[in-house]
Structure formats: structure tokens, C-alpha cells
Amino acid sequence: MNLRVFVYGTLKPGGFYWPRYAEGKVTAHQPARTRGLLYHLPAGYPALTEGEGWARGTLLTLKDEAALAGFDELEGYRIGRPPEQNDYQRRKVECEDEHGNSLGPVWAYLMLPEKVREMGGIRIHADTWTGPPV
């Protein structure tokens, strides 16, 4: 299993959930980007959907599958559950470093556009989520 995950919100180093879900469970991290559209959700965290924009974040290399299972729990994703019942979908995406060099396929948590609308998502017209819009 590929234990590299692209994160773009509260799981980034310094993010709200970094200490609980990632600290000590990551062997490496680096700036990265992938294709998609970013949204801020009123609940206080971001969502990424498929799209032609760019989303900047961090590529994490996880120590083991237990760390990935913790991410799944946080993101409301359960393998085998119908997609509309998951908060996020864990999918393989192509990832690049900050210079545009391919980092290959990695996991990322994307949200279905219908779920973003249901949750009142606000489109972010930048490539980085930095918290609630001001």
C-alpha cells in the first residue's frame, strides 16, 4: 500500500489535527500540490474537489497503515461504504513538488461536490487553505 498522503488543511504540520493524527506517525513531509478546487466549510476545515485548479498542501509519508486508518477515521471515510455516506473519498491523485516535478500517485481526501454544497462550502479562489475566510 502507498503510505503517502497529500493533505491541505488541518492535517498539515502546525494544523489543528497534526498533533493527534500525524505527529510521530509521519516519516517525512514536503510541500506539494495537486489538481483540484478548494473550499472552506463553515465547520472550520477545507474540502477539495476534482477540478482544473491547483491546491497546495503537504505530502506526508506515513509510518504504517495504522496512521492511514486514523486519517480515514478523522475524514469520515470507510472503505466499502457508499460514497455519499462518506464525508470524504480517499482517492489516488497525481501529486507534484513545488517545482512541478511529479511525485507520482498518492492518497488524498476529496469531497463530492454535492457534499460540499450540502455543507455550505465557500470556494477559495487561492491555491492554499489558510483557515476561515475573512
Side-chain angles (χ1 to χ4, degrees), residues 1-5 21-28 60-68 71:
M1 173 175 267
N2 183 349
L3 293 178
R4 296 185 308 154
V5 180
Y21 289 92
E23 194 167 45
K25 299 171 186 169
V26 170
T27 60
L60 306 178
T61 301
L62 305 181
K63 280 186 176 179
D64 54 34
E65 291 186 26
L68 186 62
F71 281 27

Side-chain angles (χ1 to χ4, degrees), residues 120-133:
I122 301 163
R123 176 81 165 87
I124 299 169
H125 294 285
D127 62 3
T128 306
W129 182 80
T130 56

Side-chain angles (χ1 to χ4, degrees), residues 17-41:
Y17 286 115
W18 172 266
R20 180 172 176 191
Y21 289 92
E23 194 167 45
K25 299 171 186 169
V26 170
T27 60
H29 59 84
Q30 71 181 87
R33 68 181 187 170
T34 193
R35 288 281 183 190
L37 303 175
L38 280 171
Y39 293 83
H40 174 74
L41 302 175

